[in-house]
Amino acid sequence: MDLTLALAGLGVGIVVGLTGMGGGALMTPVLVLVFGVPPVAAVSSDLAASAVMKPFGGWVHARRGTVNFKLVAWLCAGSVPSAFLGVLVLRLLGDDASVQHTIKISLGVALLLAAGGLLLKAWVSRRQRGDAPAAPITVRPVPTMLLGAVGGLIVGLTSVGSGSLIIVALLALYPKLRANDLVGTDLVQAVPLVLSAAIGHAFFGDLHLDLTAAVLLGSIPGVLIGARISSRAPGGIVRVALVIVLLASALKLLDVPTLAVGLITGAAIVAAVTVAVVRRAVAPRAATRIPEQTNPAEDDQRLSV
């Protein structure tokens, strides 16, 4: 068993524990780009590992009551059969070099969408308080089931989207859904989704148990570690790091030259640091401009004395 692969799984598991997303979006590119695993084998192995890893996070959210099970039911009604269909489409396309290249490009596009989705989610989270009372949500069955179907098809083809893409689409469809409920609902619906896709790959003989076991060896403790420190780690730093990793992986999968990937990634890091410094500098000034609330009666008493 490859210990370096287990260490990669540990790192990805920590990110998933911290952010609730990023498993397929990170692990599949790592398998393809770092370890040279063929894209189809990387997709199947990552899906099998996610099917074991995601229930840990979903169980925690279910205990805390941050899961909308009506949404989960309608999402799964569309995503579970669609994920299996995505695997079938992948097998019908074949295993030649052109198909592998197409999957690689699809992964790159999916990662770009995931990175953009994380930025959108971060922007919306700044406008909402995560601890605010939960607003009543009216579940819309047909749009929700269609969302699950599209997301399941993408997951079956690429293994990306069970967290990053679907959570963003949920946010757009249900803007009143609290951040905690959003993450919890997405994690729980992802369990049968990735399980369906993993069974499909196993049925067609794509599953590599040695890869899956190595990834799980690191990812399961990684998820537990990430969940433990998630309340202490700055969420903004984790999101920025995840977006930069997704961006770099997507560009590499899209066959962008290494020098260009380095320049773009470096520019993204500089931009993130600049924004963080500006926010830290502006925050104290904004706080000092807030006038103190005084009681007029107390002011009159001071003047009379």
Side-chain angles (χ1 to χ4, degrees), residues 114-126 168-169 171-172:
L118 286 175
L119 289 175
L120 176 63
K121 181 178 181 292
W123 178 76
V124 173
S125 297
R126 289 179 61 84
V168 173
L171 183 62

Side-chain angles (χ1 to χ4, degrees), residues 100-234:
Q100 297 284 349
H101 180 71
T102 301
I103 296 172
K104 187 178 176 182
I105 298 300
S106 301
L107 279 170
V109 173
L111 293 190
L112 285 178
L113 292 175
L118 286 175
L119 289 175
L120 176 63
K121 181 178 181 292
W123 178 76
V124 173
S125 297
R126 289 179 61 84
R127 301 170 61 90
Q128 295 179 341
R129 287 183 55 87
D131 55 354
I137 299 297
T138 302
V139 177
R140 291 179 283 176
V142 175
T144 305
M145 188 166 60
L146 289 176
L147 165 60
V150 174
L153 185 64
I154 295 174
V155 171
L157 286 169
T158 67
S159 85
V160 178
S162 62
S164 303
L165 297 180
I166 291 181
I167 201 171
V168 173
L170 267 178
L171 183 62
L173 193 58
Y174 298 99
K176 293 183 179 181
L177 198 62
R178 287 191 315 167
N180 290 343
D181 296 336
L182 187 69
V183 173
T185 300
D186 179 71
L187 276 173
V188 172
Q189 69 83 28
V191 174
L193 165 58
V194 297
L195 182 60
S196 172
I199 291 174
H201 279 281
F203 181 77
F204 290 112
D206 291 329
L207 186 60
H208 291 240
L209 293 178
D210 54 340
L211 289 176
T212 303
V215 171
L216 285 175
L217 181 65
S219 62
I220 291 178
V223 169
L224 297 176
I225 294 171
R228 275 184 168 273
I229 64 177
S230 60
S231 58
R232 302 177 183 178

Side-chain angles (χ1 to χ4, degrees), residues 66-81:
T66 54
V67 178
N68 189 315
F69 285 100
K70 288 184 179 179
L71 279 179
V72 170
W74 284 109
L75 283 169
C76 290
S79 66
V80 171

